[in-house]
Amino acid sequence: MTSRADGSDIAEARRTEDCDDWGDRGEPDTAVADAAAVDEVLGRLIAGGYKFIHPRDPQGEIITIVGIRVHGTVIDVVRLDAEDEVTAMRLPEGEADVLSPGTVLWRRDGAMREVVDALLDLPDSAHRPASRSSGKGCWVSGNRGQARWLRAPA
Protein backbone atom coordinates (compact mmCIF):
# COMPACT_ATOMS: atom_id res chain seq x y z
CA MET A 1 0.00 0.00 0.00
CA THR A 2 1.39 3.43 -0.87
CA SER A 3 1.24 6.06 1.81
CA ARG A 4 -0.70 9.27 1.23
CA ALA A 5 0.35 12.50 2.96
CA ASP A 6 -3.14 13.17 4.31
CA GLY A 7 -3.25 9.86 6.18
CA SER A 8 -6.31 8.66 4.25
CA ASP A 9 -4.54 5.39 3.44
CA ILE A 10 -4.42 4.56 7.17
CA ALA A 11 -8.09 5.34 7.65
CA GLU A 12 -8.94 3.28 4.56
CA ALA A 13 -6.89 0.33 5.82
CA ARG A 14 -8.68 0.48 9.16
CA ARG A 15 -12.11 0.50 7.52
CA THR A 16 -11.29 -2.44 5.26
CA GLU A 17 -9.07 -4.22 7.84
CA ASP A 18 -6.34 -4.56 5.18
CA CYS A 19 -3.69 -3.57 7.68
CA ASP A 20 -3.51 -5.57 10.91
CA ASP A 21 -0.22 -3.90 11.89
CA TRP A 22 -1.96 -0.83 13.27
CA GLY A 23 -4.18 -2.74 15.66
CA ASP A 24 -6.06 -0.58 18.15
CA ARG A 25 -3.09 1.65 19.00
CA GLY A 26 -4.53 4.64 17.14
CA GLU A 27 -1.08 6.17 16.72
CA PRO A 28 -1.44 7.61 13.21
CA ASP A 29 -4.89 9.05 13.86
CA THR A 30 -3.83 10.38 17.28
CA ALA A 31 -0.77 12.12 15.84
CA VAL A 32 -2.87 13.86 13.19
CA ALA A 33 -5.49 14.88 15.77
CA ASP A 34 -2.79 16.14 18.17
CA ALA A 35 -1.17 18.25 15.46
CA ALA A 36 -4.54 19.71 14.51
CA ALA A 37 -5.27 20.56 18.16
CA VAL A 38 -1.91 22.31 18.54
CA ASP A 39 -2.46 24.25 15.30
CA GLU A 40 -5.93 25.31 16.46
CA VAL A 41 -4.70 26.52 19.86
CA LEU A 42 -1.70 28.38 18.40
CA GLY A 43 -4.01 29.96 15.82
CA ARG A 44 -6.28 31.26 18.59
CA LEU A 45 -3.29 32.74 20.42
CA ILE A 46 -1.99 34.42 17.25
CA ALA A 47 -5.47 35.80 16.54
CA GLY A 48 -5.48 37.12 20.13
CA GLY A 49 -2.34 39.16 19.45
CA TYR A 50 0.32 36.89 20.91
CA LYS A 51 3.89 37.10 19.56
CA PHE A 52 6.12 34.06 19.88
CA ILE A 53 9.72 33.37 20.79
CA HIS A 54 11.45 30.00 20.71
CA PRO A 55 14.25 29.71 23.31
CA ARG A 56 16.93 27.25 22.19
CA ASP A 57 19.57 25.15 23.92
CA PRO A 58 23.31 25.52 23.09
CA GLN A 59 22.91 23.01 20.23
CA GLY A 60 20.18 25.13 18.65
CA GLU A 61 17.27 22.83 19.53
CA ILE A 62 13.99 24.52 20.51
CA ILE A 63 13.42 24.13 24.25
CA THR A 64 9.88 25.50 24.40
CA ILE A 65 7.43 27.83 22.67
CA VAL A 66 6.60 31.05 24.51
CA GLY A 67 3.75 33.36 23.52
CA ILE A 68 3.66 36.92 24.87
CA ARG A 69 1.00 39.62 24.67
CA VAL A 70 1.58 43.02 26.26
CA HIS A 71 -1.62 45.02 26.73
CA GLY A 72 -2.94 47.64 29.08
CA THR A 73 -1.04 47.36 32.33
CA VAL A 74 -0.30 43.62 32.08
CA ILE A 75 1.76 41.06 30.19
CA ASP A 76 0.19 37.69 29.37
CA VAL A 77 2.65 34.83 28.88
CA VAL A 78 2.00 31.25 27.79
CA ARG A 79 4.76 28.65 27.79
CA LEU A 80 4.13 25.42 25.85
CA ASP A 81 6.60 22.71 26.90
CA ALA A 82 4.33 19.83 25.82
CA GLU A 83 0.61 19.36 25.13
CA ASP A 84 0.00 18.39 28.75
CA GLU A 85 2.65 20.71 30.19
CA VAL A 86 1.56 24.31 29.63
CA THR A 87 1.92 27.33 31.91
CA ALA A 88 0.10 30.63 31.46
CA MET A 89 0.65 33.74 33.57
CA ARG A 90 -0.53 37.32 33.82
CA LEU A 91 2.22 39.67 35.01
CA PRO A 92 2.33 43.37 35.86
CA GLU A 93 3.65 45.60 33.05
CA GLY A 94 6.92 46.40 34.80
CA GLU A 95 8.02 42.78 35.27
CA ALA A 96 11.71 42.59 34.37
CA ASP A 97 11.91 38.94 33.23
CA VAL A 98 8.75 37.37 31.82
CA LEU A 99 10.27 33.88 31.70
CA SER A 100 11.15 33.91 35.43
CA PRO A 101 8.87 36.56 36.92
CA GLY A 102 9.11 37.89 40.44
CA THR A 103 5.45 38.96 40.55
CA VAL A 104 2.58 36.90 39.10
CA LEU A 105 -0.99 38.24 39.10
CA TRP A 106 -2.58 35.02 37.77
CA ARG A 107 -1.20 31.58 36.88
CA ARG A 108 -2.55 28.31 35.49
CA ASP A 109 -0.66 25.06 34.78
CA GLY A 110 -1.93 21.96 33.03
CA ALA A 111 -3.08 20.64 29.68
CA MET A 112 -2.77 22.92 26.65
CA ARG A 113 -6.44 23.46 25.81
CA GLU A 114 -7.56 24.05 29.41
CA VAL A 115 -4.75 26.48 30.19
CA VAL A 116 -5.07 28.46 26.94
CA ASP A 117 -8.87 28.61 27.30
CA ALA A 118 -8.49 30.04 30.82
CA LEU A 119 -5.88 32.56 29.64
CA LEU A 120 -7.98 33.76 26.71
CA ASP A 121 -11.00 34.06 29.03
CA LEU A 122 -9.23 36.60 31.27
CA PRO A 123 -10.83 40.04 30.99
CA ASP A 124 -8.99 42.85 29.20
CA SER A 125 -11.39 45.54 30.38
CA ALA A 126 -10.10 45.61 33.96
CA HIS A 127 -6.89 47.30 32.86
CA ARG A 128 -6.30 50.73 31.39
CA PRO A 129 -5.07 50.63 27.80
CA ALA A 130 -1.51 51.67 27.06
CA SER A 131 -1.07 54.86 25.09
CA ARG A 132 0.83 54.88 21.79
CA SER A 133 3.55 57.11 23.16
CA SER A 134 4.14 55.14 26.36
CA GLY A 135 6.96 53.00 24.96
CA LYS A 136 5.71 50.10 27.09
CA GLY A 137 6.89 46.57 26.68
CA CYS A 138 9.16 44.06 28.38
CA TRP A 139 12.58 42.47 28.07
CA VAL A 140 12.62 38.81 27.06
CA SER A 141 15.67 36.57 27.52
CA GLY A 142 16.98 35.39 24.19
CA ASN A 143 19.62 33.08 22.75
CA ARG A 144 23.17 33.13 24.11
CA GLY A 145 22.25 35.33 27.07
CA GLN A 146 21.00 38.17 24.90
CA ALA A 147 17.71 39.91 25.62
CA ARG A 148 15.13 41.45 23.28
CA TRP A 149 12.71 44.30 23.94
CA LEU A 150 9.17 43.22 23.08
CA ARG A 151 7.17 46.40 22.49
CA ALA A 152 3.54 46.49 23.53
CA PRO A 153 1.20 46.98 20.57
CA ALA A 154 -0.76 50.22 20.45
Side-chain angles (χ1 to χ4, degrees):
M1 175 187 319
T2 59
S3 180
R4 291 180 235 153
D6 66 357
S8 60
D9 55 334
I10 296 166
E12 184 178 320
R14 284 190 168 177
R15 279 193 304 276
T16 61
E17 298 182 26
D18 289 341
C19 182
D20 292 332
D21 293 341
W22 292 104
D24 292 327
R25 291 180 293 166
E27 290 169 355
D29 290 340
T30 302
V32 171
D34 290 347
V38 171
D39 286 348
E40 185 268 332
V41 169
L42 289 175
R44 288 182 16 210
L45 289 167
I46 291 167
Y50 284 79
K51 305 293 183 201
F52 290 87
I53 59 171
H54 309 91
R56 296 173 184 269
D57 67 14
Q59 292 76 36
E61 296 294 320
I62 293 176
I63 298 169
T64 188
I65 298 172
V66 180
I68 301 170
R69 182 173 76 124
V70 181
H71 59 104
T73 60
V74 296
I75 304 165
D76 289 340
V77 179
V78 60
R79 178 181 171 133
L80 300 107
D81 294 317
E83 289 176 53
D84 60 347
E85 200 175 316
V86 176
T87 299
M89 298 176 285
R90 177 163 278 180
L91 314 172
E93 68 182 334
E95 186 59 45
D97 184 351
V98 298
L99 298 179
S100 297
T103 304
V104 176
L105 304 173
W106 175 90
R107 180 181 178 129
R108 177 76 55 95
D109 298 291
M112 178 181 58
R113 189 171 301 276
E114 295 165 8
V115 172
V116 170
D117 286 348
L119 177 63
L120 294 176
D121 284 344
L122 290 175
D124 282 336
S125 58
H127 306 283
R128 66 173 162 59
S131 68
R132 279 191 184 269
S133 62
S134 70
K136 293 182 181 178
C138 63
W139 286 99
V140 178
S141 299
N143 295 333
R144 298 178 198 100
Q146 298 175 343
R148 281 176 35 182
W149 178 255
L150 184 63
R151 187 176 61 81

